[in-house]
Amino acid sequence: TEGRSRLGAAAQKGGDSTKMASNEPLIQNQEEPTWKRSIKQGCKFLGMGLGAIFLVVFILAWILQGIMYYWATSMSGCRASNLQGYQYPGGEASDAGDGVFNIMPRISLLAERTPMWYGEAFDVIPSNEASNVASAPVGTWWQNWGPIFYTYTYEDVANSKTTIFMRRKLLRIGQCHVIQRCDGKGPTVTFTEGSNWLGNRVRNLLRMNQGMIYKIYLDDDLVGVAEETQHGFQSLTFRAEKSGLTMGSSVLKERHFHGDRDLWLVKNEEKDEPLPYYVSSAATLLFAFHTINEDARKVISETKHDKVESPPPHGNYFLAANLTLASKGQVPELVNKAPELVSAPAASTDAESTAKAP
C-alpha cells in the first residue's frame, strides 16, 4: 500500500510537471531593450502632457470668451430691463415699422474709426439720396475681441445705450452670424452661407463678379439673400426671397475718408419688406471688417516680397512717387516729405547747368 501511494504521488507530480511544461512557450520571449521601453514611455507621457495642455488652454479660452462676451453685452447695458420704453433716437420709420423697429436711418454711412487698443469701430452717420453726410453720427458699431469669436455691438450716441449685438454661430458650415436686439423684441436674424458654401468658394476661386451669396432668416423664415461682390467694386445687394426685388444695398464709397479710412454707403428701399434697417448695416459691417483684414494681408505680403521702387533718374518724380504710394495708402507720409522731393530735381538741374557752363 505504501508503495502504491508513492507511485501515485510520483505519477501525479510527473503529470503536473508535464502540464506546466506544455503551457510554457518552446522559445522564451526575449525582453524588450531598455531604450525601446524608454521611447515608448516618453511618447506616452508626451502625448498625455500635450493633451492635458490642450484641454487646459481650451477651457481657459472658453472662460475668457465668456468673460469678454459678458462684458460686451450685459455689462455694456445690452439687457431688456435697461431698454424698457426706449424710443431709439436715430431710427427712421418705414412701411414695415417705425423708428423703434428699424433703430437706424434708412440711408447711412459707415465711417471707419482709428483703431484703439480695446477694439475697432465704425460710426453710423445719417445720409441722404445724394450720399452725403446729413448730420452728426447717431451710433457706433463696436468690434469686441474674443479668443474664439468676435462680438459686435451697436451703441447709440444720444444716450450711450447698447441696443443690438451680433456674434458668430459655431458648428455651422461657412460664415454664420446671428443678429439680435438687446430688448428681446423682434425676430432673431441669421445671416449665413448655408448650402451656398461650396458655390461661394468656387465663384471666389474663379474670381467671378458675384463672389458670395448669403441667406437671411428672420427666426426660421427665409426672407432674403445678400449678394456680395468682392472683385472690383466691393458691394452688397439685398434681395427679397419671394419677389426678387432689391431691399437695400451697400457699397464701399471711399477709401481715404479723413485720410486713410474706409467709408461705406448703406441704403434701404422704402418698400413693405420685413427686413429692419439695422440688418443691412450689420451685414455691411462684417464685409467692411473683412475688407480691412484682406488689405492688411496684402500689405504684409507686399512688404515681404516687394522692394522700394527707385525714382526715375530724370524729370519731376514727385508725381510718379505720389501715384505709386497712393495705391498703397501712404500719401500722408509722402506729403510730409514733399519739399525734399520737389527740391531734389531742381538741385540736380542746377548742378547739370553749372557743369555745362563754359
Side-chain angles (χ1 to χ4, degrees), residues 64-76 78 116-122 140-155 162 164-168 177 182 285-286 289:
L64 180 58
Q65 179 65 61
I67 294 173
M68 297 301 297
Y69 180 75
Y70 180 76
W71 174 81
T73 54
S74 297
M75 288 189 64
S76 298
C78 184
M116 305 295 288
W117 65 268
Y118 50 81
E120 299 179 73
F122 274 82
T140 302
W141 278 108
W142 295 98
Q143 183 189 57
N144 304 281
W145 178 84
I148 300 175
F149 58 82
Y150 286 102
T151 304
Y152 304 88
T153 55
Y154 176 74
E155 177 187 2
T162 302
I164 306 170
F165 73 95
M166 172 175 62
R167 70 171 183 86
R168 183 167 184 173
H177 286 80
C182 293
L285 180 76
L286 295 174
F289 276 117

Side-chain angles (χ1 to χ4, degrees), residues 199-208 211 231:
N200 288 342
R201 298 304 178 278
V202 173
R203 281 189 294 270
N204 190 41
L205 179 64
L206 299 178
R207 299 184 66 85
M208 293 184 175
H231 308 294

Side-chain angles (χ1 to χ4, degrees), residues 311-322 340-342 344-345:
H314 300 289
N316 187 355
Y317 59 85
F318 174 74
L319 181 59
N322 191 2
E340 300 175 5
L341 296 174
V342 175

Side-chain angles (χ1 to χ4, degrees), residues 66-113:
I67 294 173
M68 297 301 297
Y69 180 75
Y70 180 76
W71 174 81
T73 54
S74 297
M75 288 189 64
S76 298
C78 184
R79 300 185 302 270
S81 59
N82 196 39
L83 296 170
Q84 289 182 359
Y86 196 55
Q87 295 302 311
Y88 297 91
E92 293 184 9
S94 65
D95 293 340
D98 55 5
V100 175
F101 173 79
N102 290 309
I103 298 180
M104 293 187 184
R106 185 176 73 88
I107 305 176
S108 63
L109 298 169
L110 287 182
E112 180 188 0
R113 275 192 181 185

Side-chain angles (χ1 to χ4, degrees), residues 104 108-111 122-124 141 152 166 177 179 191 214 216 226-228 234-238 248-253 262-268 275 277-292:
M104 293 187 184
S108 63
L109 298 169
L110 287 182
F122 274 82
D123 287 329
V124 178
W141 278 108
Y152 304 88
M166 172 175 62
H177 286 80
I179 310 167
F191 187 79
Y214 299 89
I216 303 174
E227 300 167 348
E228 181 181 290
Q234 288 94 334
S235 65
L236 271 172
T237 303
F238 303 92
S249 63
S250 61
V251 64
L252 180 56
K253 183 177 183 293
D262 288 354
L263 183 69
W264 289 77
L265 172 66
V266 184
K267 183 178 180 181
N268 295 277
L275 205 63
Y277 291 163
Y278 64 83
V279 175
S280 56
S281 181
T284 303
L285 180 76
L286 295 174
F287 195 15
F289 276 117
H290 171 75
T291 303
I292 293 174

Side-chain angles (χ1 to χ4, degrees), residues 338-352:
E340 300 175 5
L341 296 174
V342 175
S343 61
S348 62
T349 305
D350 293 341
E352 292 177 1

Side-chain angles (χ1 to χ4, degrees), residues 290-339:
H290 171 75
T291 303
I292 293 174
N293 295 333
E294 287 296 316
D295 292 342
R297 294 189 188 100
K298 290 179 182 179
V299 169
I300 294 174
S301 177
E302 290 177 0
T303 304
K304 289 182 178 179
H305 298 92
D306 294 351
K307 301 296 182 180
V308 178
E309 299 181 5
S310 59
H314 300 289
N316 187 355
Y317 59 85
F318 174 74
L319 181 59
N322 191 2
L323 292 176
T324 302
L325 294 179
S327 63
K328 299 180 181 180
Q330 302 176 2
V331 175
E333 290 81 357
L334 182 64
V335 172
N336 296 330
K337 300 179 181 179

